[in-house]
Amino acid sequence: MTLPPRLIPLLEQYDFACERLLARLAGPLMDSGNGVGIGVVPLGDDEYLWEPVPGCWSVRRRDDGPGERATVLAGAGAWGRDSADSPHPFPPPFTTLAWRLSHLSEMLTLRADHTRGTRSLTREGYRTPGDAVGAVAAFASASAAWREALLSADEAALDTIGYSTYPNGSDAEDVFVDIVWWVNQEVLHHGAEIALLRDLYRAGAS
């Protein structure tokens, strides 16, 4: 299928954001932005779970229970992500690299499924990895799944409200091209946050 012209720049932006984030997490090199490769130390478990300030929301062993001001560990399996029923605590808790990466991977996985998959996956069933290698692999798989979902969209789909039936966003009210734009912004801004957390961890460890 020929890609709709409107989708091409959005897909290129998405690919760039995902590739750059994966390189920042796993290395061995990342593009500095001017074509110069910078060496990257792969994300380790201590950094993945690092809590830079008191009261962070993070990814935790289910047996340990949720963190401060959280009421539940979202998802399934041995690890979960700190969460709470709406309205969320204010001011919002600071979230760790693990929390942000889990949030991205869950969102991409579920949106992909609710666009061209079974349309049945839920937050309650999502399994968050408790280790850095697993988390990076989960993001790589999730980002690839959403990319495949984008490739299924034609011009009519881009203008269709509810083309994605993802239940945890505005998908039921917005045309699909707006959802595509929003997902790009999520990857870009959380990717930047994750990159900054890596810089802060490295500075503190040196």
Side-chain angles (χ1 to χ4, degrees):
M1 183 182 74
T2 302
L3 287 178
R6 287 179 293 162
L7 181 59
I8 293 172
L10 291 168
L11 183 61
E12 289 175 346
Q13 182 185 61
Y14 175 75
D15 285 344
F16 177 79
C18 290
E19 289 165 8
R20 198 169 194 196
L21 178 54
L22 282 168
R24 282 172 165 160
L25 290 168
L29 294 173
M30 60 165 269
D31 186 340
S32 66
N34 60 3
V36 176
I38 297 175
V40 173
V41 176
L43 182 69
D45 291 348
D46 288 346
E47 181 181 0
Y48 175 64
L49 297 171
W50 177 52
E51 298 191 19
V53 298
C56 284
W57 275 13
S58 189
V59 167
R60 306 183 191 280
R61 293 183 187 276
R62 198 164 300 280
D63 290 346
D64 294 336
E68 185 177 331
R69 295 198 293 161
T71 59
V72 66
L73 287 173
W79 293 76
R81 189 174 71 248
D82 282 326
S83 187
D85 293 332
S86 185
H88 285 179
F90 186 85
F94 190 93
T95 53
T96 64
L97 189 157
W99 194 101
R100 295 169 202 232
L101 193 56
S102 170
H103 164 65
L104 277 179
S105 298
E106 179 206 83
M107 181 267 295
L108 292 169
T109 298
L110 267 60
R111 268 210 166 93
D113 178 70
H114 283 271
T115 300
R116 65 182 303 271
T118 66
R119 299 180 185 262
S120 65
L121 296 185
T122 65
R123 283 181 170 175
E124 292 75 22
Y126 183 77
R127 292 177 177 266
T128 291
D131 66 292
V133 170
V136 173
F139 176 74
S141 176
S143 60
W146 177 242
R147 190 181 197 280
E148 286 299 311
L150 295 181
L151 296 179
S152 74
D154 57 15
E155 283 287 355
L158 292 180
D159 291 322
T160 298
I161 296 173
Y163 184 73
S164 164
T165 60
Y166 176 69
N168 306 117
S170 62
D171 302 49
E173 292 84 36
D174 292 338
V175 294
F176 188 61
V177 71
D178 288 350
I179 299 301
V180 175
W181 178 89
W182 174 252
V183 170
N184 280 12
Q185 305 320 301
E186 285 284 280
V187 176
L188 286 162
H189 91 254
H190 284 307
E193 293 166 347
I194 288 167
L196 178 58
L197 284 169
R198 295 223 67 188
D199 286 344
L200 291 171
Y201 183 86
R202 185 181 69 249
S206 60

